[in-house]
Amino acid sequence: EVQLVESGGGLVKPGGSLRLSCAASGFTFSDAWMSWVRQAPGKGLEWVGRIKSKIDGTTTDYAAAVKGRFTISRDDSRNTVFLQMNSLQIEDTGVYYCAVLLSRGYWGQGTLVTVSS
Amino acid sequence: QTVVTQEPSLTVSPGGTVTLTCASTTGAVTSGHYSNWFQQKPGQAPTSLIYNTINRHSWTPARFSGSLVGGKAALTLSGVQPEDEGEYYCLLYYGGAQLGVFGGGTKLTVL
């Protein structure tokens, strides 16, 4: 059974940092391109970024709204992908989902990040 | 800034057929956009329905089909069921799958 379990969400002040983790199981993690998607309260889905597999160069790409502030990394030995979020802004508030998109179609249940003073 | 546009809302009768579309401000949507479709119900994580324009996942009911129509990506539901009610999102990739952009979502009501 495929599982993606996000953790690390919580309340943080504007300008602060947070590191999200996503633990994967049930598929070959090292082959997978891992994505992060977020959803502000009552709003639609927003693509945050993605990290390719090691064999594809571990390349990362980011949405313009988070580029320069967010960093995605992976640890294939732990089947885990990370989202380091710095300089957080109020508009970064939302549920953050870890996903394996395209041909896999796997989603986690999400973790809530609240940026508030 | 690239914007992906979907119908804000659609209503369909049970057993009917409905087509949701996904347009790009950069021009016609092609197979190179690797369009994906997702369903989300209130309080739940999204579930993946279609990838690479036309491909269903193993769990996607056969009544869901993806295509390109008139320069847009399209999701057609045939023989709509009450449980198909929910929010539907498309995702397009740009620059050879470098950048993803979601549409704003379509709220589908089955009435």
Side-chain angles (χ1 to χ4, degrees):
Chain A
E1 180 194 6
V2 171
Q3 282 198 314
L4 295 171
V5 181
E6 301 93 338
S7 59
L11 176 63
V12 61
K13 288 182 167 50
S17 297
L18 211 54
R19 188 196 198 204
L20 305 183
S21 301
C22 171
S25 60
F27 64 97
T28 305
F29 179 81
S30 58
D31 293 344
W33 292 15
M34 302 300 298
S35 298
W36 287 95
V37 175
R38 68 183 181 183
Q39 187 168 35
K43 302 296 185 183
L45 300 175
E46 182 181 12
W47 188 87
V48 171
R50 180 228 56 234
I51 185 166
K52 294 183 179 179
S53 61
K54 183 176 180 180
I55 198 169
D56 290 315
T58 327
T59 309
T60 52
D61 289 289
Y62 302 94
V66 307
K67 197 169 186 178
R69 300 188 299 123
F70 289 12
T71 302
I72 301 173
S73 61
R74 63 190 299 156
D75 183 342
D76 288 352
S77 68
R78 295 164 56 189
N79 286 1
T80 302
V81 63
F82 304 97
L83 179 64
Q84 176 68 44
M85 303 185 293
N86 298 330
S87 303
L88 282 161
Q89 305 163 359
I90 291 175
E91 50 267 32
D92 294 318
T93 293
V95 175
Y96 283 70
Y97 296 101
C98 165
V100 190
L101 300 177
L102 295 173
S103 64
R104 308 287 189 106
Y106 309 146
W107 289 78
Q109 286 304 302
T111 186
L112 177 62
V113 172
T114 304
V115 185
S116 174
S117 55
Chain B
Q1 181 182 351
T2 301
V3 176
V4 176
T5 305
Q6 298 180 243
E7 297 87 0
S9 64
L10 291 170
T11 299
V12 61
S13 300
T17 297
V18 65
T19 297
L20 291 64
T21 68
C22 177
S24 172
T25 54
T26 62
V29 177
T30 69
S31 59
H33 289 92
Y34 306 103
S35 54
N36 286 245
W37 291 92
F38 308 92
Q39 179 192 64
Q40 187 178 35
K41 298 188 178 181
Q44 297 182 16
T47 57
S48 299
L49 296 172
I50 300 288
Y51 66 96
N52 292 359
T53 306
I54 62 171
N55 298 285
R56 291 186 202 92
H57 291 284
S58 58
W59 53 83
T60 304
R63 63 181 180 273
F64 293 87
S65 63
S67 64
L68 294 176
V69 176
K72 300 178 183 180
L75 176 69
T76 299
L77 286 71
S78 305
V80 171
Q81 303 294 307
E83 60 264 31
D84 296 335
E85 189 164 279
E87 196 83 24
Y88 289 81
Y89 295 93
C90 68
L91 170 65
L92 300 182
Y93 284 96
Y94 297 82
Q98 283 191 347
L99 173 70
V101 181
F102 278 97
T106 295
K107 183 174 183 178
L108 183 66
T109 301
V110 181
L111 201 58

